[in-house]
Amino acid sequence: MNEYLDLSEEVSDALSRGAPVVALESTIISHGMPFPRNAETALAVEAEVRASGAVPATIAIISGRLKAGLSESQIGFLGERGHRVAKVSRRDIGRIVASGADGATTVAATMIIAEMAGIRVFATGGIGGVHRGAERTMDVSADLDELGRTSVAVVCAGAKSILDIPMTLEYLETKGVPVVVYRGDEFPAFYTSRSGLKAELRMDSATEIAAMLKAKWTLGLAGGVVIANPIPVEYEMPADVIGAAIEKALVEASTAGVRGKDVTPFMLARVKDLTGGDSLESNIALVMNNARLASAVALEYARL
Ligand code: PSU
Ligand code: MN
């Protein structure tokens, strides 16, 4: 075990028994949702994973220690601190650890720590991707390169249309990342179950997904897998409402000169406000849905 990494008792016990564990990220808590819904959701997602028969491992950096498995008060702390906690991706981990600081981990950083801990399945809301206008800005999330190199399966609700979804899928293909759509024929667009882009690979059961993960990694093919789980139709946003909010927020971001790691948190917060909070309800529902599928995949993977 890495000398900088601490596992909670529950996570350490589950891993030593070969029991199913699901990793959860923490940037979604600090930068993805407003307080107090962020912390409430994080705890509800953990409860959903437990109810599905797996053990949740929420990942973050606390006082310079990498953590897999947080206490309720640590989750509450990240929620309450919000944007005052550092958003930590691959490049930030070393400095946050060396300075003994706190950090909320993105999909990329959570994958790194999950792999270190021996956790293979991870549930979140949305992954980062290629941003719209990337041909000018070169704004491509570090999550995509991480998926190309770190062996963790990420269950998400697709990519939201603050991103360029076709370019994001092209990038994942270049990096050799399988993209599975669960029980759907189109890659989902986070707030909506459809994006208009055909699924290259559809799978209808957790057993089928787990078998693919096992084969890929046993063959020595390192790298992640995207498991795109469409938002249940009853929680979808009307496509025109979410589309208009995203267009408006993109203009605001560009006018305000928002750049770098601030772009995604800015867009998420503005889209929530512009939809009168409706997008937050969709967001919470899809994360819960992803926690259930990730647990089912972790259970099947543990059987193999
Ligand atoms: N998408 C969401 N909610 C989030 C994020 C993305 O719907 O909270 C967060 C995740 O932590 C993701 C990160 O890894 O944003 C990507 O940030 P960037 O685009 O700066 O790479
Ligand atoms: Mn970026």
Side-chain angles (χ1 to χ4, degrees):
M1 193 56 62
N2 193 286
E3 61 178 303
Y4 293 104
L5 173 64
D6 298 327
L7 306 182
S8 70
E9 219 176 287
E10 187 189 17
V11 169
S12 153
D13 174 64
L15 289 170
S16 63
R17 287 183 293 116
V21 177
V22 173
L24 300 164
E25 60 147 317
S26 46
T27 293
I28 190 175
I29 307 175
S30 59
H31 292 70
M33 292 182 190
F35 183 74
R37 298 298 296 283
N38 55 4
E40 290 165 13
T41 302
L43 294 172
V45 169
E46 287 205 336
E48 197 67 30
V49 170
R50 288 193 186 96
S52 309
V55 168
T58 303
I59 288 176
I61 302 177
I62 305 285
S63 303
R65 301 288 305 171
L66 309 183
K67 301 281 186 193
L70 296 185
S71 66
E72 248 185 79
S73 70
Q74 288 168 330
I75 288 176
F77 167 79
L78 293 174
E80 194 265 319
R81 295 287 293 166
H83 287 228
R84 290 168 296 174
V85 175
K87 172 181 166 185
V88 173
S89 192
R90 166 176 280 271
R91 70 171 179 179
D92 309 296
I93 297 176
R95 109 183 128 82
I96 295 293
V97 166
S99 62
D102 304 312
T105 49
T106 62
V107 168
T110 302
M111 288 178 75
I112 293 169
I113 298 169
E115 187 185 60
M116 233 180 240
I119 304 169
R120 294 297 202 168
V121 184
F122 165 15
T124 187
I127 52 169
V130 179
H131 281 261
R132 282 159 74 171
E135 62 278 15
R136 285 177 289 107
T137 63
M138 279 209 21
D139 190 351
V140 178
S141 175
D143 292 352
L144 298 184
D145 279 65
E146 206 59 52
L147 280 159
R149 66 199 282 186
T150 300
S151 300
V152 172
V154 182
V155 180
C156 64
K160 59 177 75 57
S161 54
I162 65 171
L163 302 171
D164 186 317
I165 303 177
M167 274 211 230
T168 299
L169 292 173
E170 290 292 350
Y171 199 90
L172 288 168
E173 182 183 358
T174 300
K175 293 287 165 178
V177 180
V179 177
V180 178
V181 178
Y182 182 68
R183 295 188 180 169
D185 297 310
E186 283 183 30
F187 186 74
F190 197 85
Y191 299 113
T192 56
S193 60
R194 291 171 180 280
S195 63
L197 292 156
K198 199 182 155 297
E200 285 277 331
L201 179 57
R202 170 186 171 138
M203 291 191 182
D204 289 328
S205 74
T207 318
E208 197 182 354
I209 296 170
M212 186 203 50
L213 299 178
K214 179 79 178 177
K216 171 177 162 62
W217 292 327
T218 306
L219 284 162
L221 298 169
V225 173
V226 173
I227 302 168
N229 188 25
I231 184 172
V233 283
E234 63 270 34
Y235 298 112
E236 276 187 302
M237 294 282 297
D240 54 334
V241 172
I242 198 69
I246 287 171
E247 294 295 343
K248 189 154 193 290
L250 280 169
V251 173
E252 290 180 11
S254 149
T255 307
V258 181
R259 280 200 216 322
K261 72 202 297 188
D262 297 333
V263 172
T264 299
F266 177 93
M267 289 297 297
L268 293 174
R270 285 306 291 148
V271 168
K272 186 207 90 173
D273 290 342
L274 291 165
T275 58
D278 289 354
S279 69
L280 180 59
E281 301 309 321
S282 292
N283 199 342
I284 292 171
L286 67 82
V287 176
M288 299 292 281
N289 189 48
N290 295 344
R292 281 188 290 275
L293 177 58
S295 301
V297 172
L299 259 82
E300 291 301 326
Y301 190 78
R303 283 208 186 106
L304 295 171

